[in-house]
Amino acid sequence: MERIKCTISYDGTNFSGYQMQQKDRTVQFEIERALRKIHKDDIRTHASGRTDARVHAYGQVFHFDSPLAIPALGWVAALNSALPEDIAVRRVEKVHSHFHARYDVVSKEYRYKVLLNGRDNVFARNYMYRYPYRIDVSTMEAAAKHFLGTHDFTSFCSAKSDKENKVRTIHEIEIQQNGDELLFRFVGNGFLYNMVRIMVGTLLDVGQGRRAPADIPAILEKRDRRYASKTAPGHGLYLWQVNYNN
Amino acid sequence: MERIKCTISYDGTNFSGYQMQQKDRTVQFEIERALRKIHKDDIRTHASGRTDARVHAYGQVFHFDSPLAIPALGWVAALNSALPEDIAVRRVEKVHSHFHARYDVVSKEYRYKVLLNGRDNVFARNYMYRYPYRIDVSTMEAAAKHFLGTHDFTSFCSAKSDKENKVRTIHEIEIQQNGDELLFRFVGNGFLYNMVRIMVGTLLDVGQGRRAPADIPAILEKRDRRYASKTAPGHGLYLWQVNYNN
């Protein structure tokens, strides 16, 4: 048996999220179907975490165990030819048998893309959140600073979450404006359900002047989802990179 | 009756082309369906020309006559709310009753996008042609110069075309490389069936060193499709702009 670590991109547009469900098309279902084609047998996969419907990944990671002795580049080719075109394997590595794609995560990077334009853009509609309001990036940056470090993020987590511990550490937040495109980068040790999208929704409210940067510590303090702004839509979000030791 | 000129974008991915067909989903069908919803009656539209399956438009133009007295911005809103999300109306103008979206075209601009990268890119797969070979832009520019001006483009036209006159004038060709993205711009008084895609296919062969710039005049001279290179795929092509007098 060899343990295989796989880094994949997917276009979330036509998926009901990463994780297997009864009825809908999911990324995990397509991956396990491709592995079944290759192995003529069921192969269980373990991902770094789920992503929601319409959320994209540039660098999702999963692992599986295989009895087949295929070199890493052979795996890339075999998987890409068995997968549908909205999932692509970027990299395959052979790892120790105790590596785990979920439990060994050290940090993750998410990105969120916003289009600051009132005009309908048919090409960006599935890949960026259209937000046609004037925003001030420096005010958003001042607000974002309050998220850095270790906090209880209950106010920035979907009330549907079943995680007990809502304390997470954010290492880095960057906000870049490039013409009418706005890019958010978040790096942290872990993110709760909808956490990035609720932070983005709240930061956009700050950028538009509907909330002040100093509101962020007060919202965190409340530990109540109802105090933060609304969840930004899934199609602007990208699971960009998952980091492990080594 | 008012004659309405409409400028639209569409994402060609899920269309079998612009023009109405028996079975498949087309842009024209969706537009006429939206107009029928608004008028409760059949409304005939006339576009600047067709586009093929999977070809995109940033600025396709069509016209129609309407008995409704709706201001231009009202038309934009009404049409966008009646159209599916892969078609967007960018602009509506009221024009003279003798304006014709097809017969009055003065020139058109097409763009073609290439991704010079061997790695699967799930986000570009429907919007750029992936061409993972080393290319030389200056050689392609030297070749492109031979297309400028007035020529018989029979060799660069699908053999399926039923147009008698294959003489067209190309005013401008520009090739820009930006990292691993390659953008072609073509401006001309008109383009034959598949003409841009066959020119791009041939220019890429030149850029890769499989043909020389001096081959272009010889291929034009032959007036035979078989001498040019293969047609580049539709999903890299964009009908960018249609120009009229005034």
Side-chain angles (χ1 to χ4, degrees), chain B:
Chain B
M1 277 297 196
E2 283 188 312
R3 183 152 292 191
I4 308 291
K5 176 189 171 195
C6 242
T7 305
I8 59 169
S9 295
Y10 46 85
D11 176 341
T13 307
N14 298 316
F15 290 109
S16 313
Y18 184 85
Q19 183 162 291
M20 209 90 97
Q21 288 173 18
Q22 206 66 38
K23 280 198 233 156
D24 300 321
R25 182 174 185 252
T26 64
V27 179
Q28 188 186 3
F29 177 84
E30 292 292 350
I31 288 167
E32 297 195 354
R33 174 151 74 179
L35 287 170
R36 198 177 311 118
K37 261 193 244 172
I38 295 168
H39 290 85
K40 321 283 180 213
D41 198 0
D42 286 349
I43 299 289
R44 227 184 130 190
T45 61
H46 302 266
S48 74
R50 315 172 188 182
T51 54
D52 258 0
R54 306 199 71 207
V55 172
H56 312 290
Y58 176 67
Q60 168 70 295
V61 173
F62 67 90
H63 81 258
F64 62 95
D65 291 323
S66 175
L68 305 176
I70 299 178
L73 286 176
W75 271 117
V76 173
L79 282 165
N80 278 332
S81 73
L83 284 165
E85 60 165 12
D86 47 0
I87 305 177
V89 173
R90 289 176 45 217
R91 193 172 176 198
V92 165
E93 297 156 86
K94 305 208 172 178
V95 287
H96 276 290
S97 62
H98 49 262
F99 169 84
H100 196 288
R102 180 158 150 234
Y103 304 133
D104 293 356
V105 172
V106 172
S107 66
K108 282 185 177 179
E109 176 176 340
Y110 277 94
R111 296 192 180 183
Y112 197 95
K113 297 187 185 181
V114 174
L115 186 62
L116 298 166
N117 192 321
R119 183 166 270 179
D120 276 312
N121 182 326
V122 292
F123 305 109
R125 75 190 191 286
N126 294 321
Y127 306 104
M128 301 178 88
Y129 171 35
R130 188 160 66 101
Y131 190 79
Y133 307 104
R134 196 167 294 173
I135 51 101
D136 184 82
V137 173
S138 59
T139 323
M140 285 198 289
E141 283 170 335
K145 286 211 175 76
H146 296 292
F147 288 128
L148 293 175
T150 304
H151 304 279
D152 182 317
F153 282 96
T154 304
S155 298
F156 293 89
C157 173
S158 165
K160 281 184 258 167
S161 166
D162 54 3
K163 289 249 169 69
E164 291 268 324
N165 178 358
K166 304 252 171 60
V167 175
R168 295 293 183 277
T169 301
I170 298 191
H171 305 304
E172 215 180 315
I173 303 182
E174 197 183 1
I175 309 173
Q176 282 178 359
Q177 185 170 1
N178 208 323
D180 58 5
E181 296 187 12
L182 194 63
L183 174 69
F184 294 83
R185 275 184 65 231
F186 296 86
V187 182
N189 71 344
F191 293 88
L192 299 163
Y193 188 42
N194 281 354
M195 179 169 152
V196 174
R197 292 163 57 187
I198 300 169
M199 288 192 292
V200 168
T202 307
L203 289 172
L204 287 170
D205 269 356
V206 170
Q208 213 196 328
R210 303 175 63 195
R211 281 171 178 263
D215 292 352
I216 304 293
I219 300 169
L220 283 165
E221 198 61 40
K222 292 285 187 186
R223 298 180 193 191
D224 184 334
R225 168 69 186 92
R226 293 169 297 174
Y227 288 88
S229 302
K230 70 169 200 240
T231 308
H235 67 274
L237 184 63
Y238 295 72
L239 170 54
W240 201 261
Q241 191 169 298
V242 185
N243 302 306
Y244 299 92
N245 276 330
N246 304 325

Side-chain angles (χ1 to χ4, degrees), chain A residues 22-70:
Chain A
Q22 207 65 38
K23 278 198 238 158
D24 300 321
R25 183 176 184 250
T26 63
V27 179
Q28 188 186 3
F29 177 83
E30 293 291 351
I31 288 167
E32 299 196 352
R33 174 151 74 180
L35 288 170
R36 200 177 310 118
K37 260 192 247 174
I38 295 168
H39 292 85
K40 320 284 178 209
D41 198 1
D42 286 350
I43 299 289
R44 226 184 131 189
T45 60
H46 302 266
S48 74
R50 314 173 188 182
T51 54
D52 259 1
R54 306 200 71 207
V55 172
H56 311 289
Y58 176 66
Q60 168 72 292
V61 173
F62 68 88
H63 82 257
F64 62 94
D65 291 324
S66 175
L68 305 177
I70 299 178

